[in-house]
Amino acid sequence: MRRLLLALPFALLPLAIAHAHEDHDHDHDHAHGSLAAHEHGAARVNAVLDGKALELELDSPAMNLVGFEHAASSDADKARVAAVRAQLEKPLALFALPKAANCSETDQELQSPLFGDQPAVDDDADEAGHDHSDIHAHYRLQCENPEQLKALDLGPLFKAFPATRKIQLQLIGPSGQQGVEATPANASITF
């Protein structure tokens, strides 16, 4: 039951994002007015704090993280994919959380066609026939002192993957739901 409650906000967030884009006329480079589209340089992070449980979800075009979207065939490409996967396996190095919150990882799931766990290419291709590959990371953390979680800082994520120029960040926490477009210069949101 608890997992269902934690999954529900993630299911509703795309609707909230789409609705927010309908309500506001942003002068940004959103493909078709929504981040649901595959857009190089843009990613999405969802964060839900429920009691001591913190769930983080990252969705990004592979281009932002790896630098390409094709199946890795050369040794250099395979090494790059392995290096990025190793970075993604350390969420506490990518998401800056206050040490006083005493958060530790309890579970993670990484998915991408580049990791060999899905077909080589996503079903969507743009008008020019280019294939798209995405990377999805889902983390569960246990925070012993959740009241110390004052902010979520994506600065380390931007630093690790500099091709990512903006992140649509949605957060559900004790003070409700909020969303921002984070950039390297403005990379945090308060809980």
Side-chain angles (χ1 to χ4, degrees):
M1 178 71 164
R2 185 177 178 106
R3 279 193 176 175
L4 178 60
L5 291 175
L6 289 175
L8 183 60
F10 287 118
L12 296 176
L13 282 173
L15 295 173
I17 292 169
H19 181 69
H21 284 291
E22 290 171 7
D23 289 346
H24 304 292
D25 184 20
H26 293 288
D27 188 23
H28 297 293
D29 184 30
H30 295 300
H32 309 293
S34 170
L35 278 175
H38 182 96
E39 180 184 351
H40 293 175
R44 188 176 73 236
V45 169
N46 296 320
V48 176
L49 177 61
D50 181 25
K52 292 184 175 190
L54 175 63
E55 294 208 30
L56 299 167
E57 182 178 59
L58 167 67
D59 282 306
S60 176
M63 181 65 76
N64 299 348
L65 309 182
V66 183
F68 57 85
E69 296 188 330
H70 58 271
S73 55
S74 73
D75 288 343
D77 285 355
K78 289 177 184 176
R80 180 68 184 140
V81 168
V84 166
R85 184 172 185 132
Q87 285 179 288
L88 291 172
E89 288 173 347
K90 299 175 185 148
L92 293 174
L94 297 174
F95 300 96
L97 300 170
K99 291 199 182 302
N102 195 20
C103 297
S104 60
E105 182 183 353
T106 60
D107 192 25
Q108 73 173 240
E109 182 179 352
L110 303 176
Q111 294 179 331
S112 175
L114 299 182
F115 299 154
D117 57 7
Q118 293 178 353
V121 174
D122 286 351
D123 291 335
D124 60 334
D126 64 22
E127 296 79 27
H130 296 109
D131 297 321
H132 296 298
S133 294
D134 292 330
I135 293 177
H136 173 80
H138 185 188
Y139 308 102
R140 285 180 205 80
L141 299 121
Q142 180 76 11
C143 300
E144 295 306 317
N145 303 310
E147 67 281 358
Q148 296 297 319
L149 286 173
K150 305 294 186 205
L152 173 63
D153 184 0
L154 301 181
L157 187 64
F158 281 113
K159 189 172 186 176
F161 304 110
T164 303
R165 295 182 303 275
K166 62 184 175 182
I167 297 174
Q168 183 66 43
L169 175 58
Q170 292 287 317
L171 182 136
I172 298 175
S175 58
Q177 181 175 338
Q178 53 184 319
V180 298
E181 184 173 280
T183 62
N186 184 21
S188 68
I189 188 171
T190 57
F191 277 91

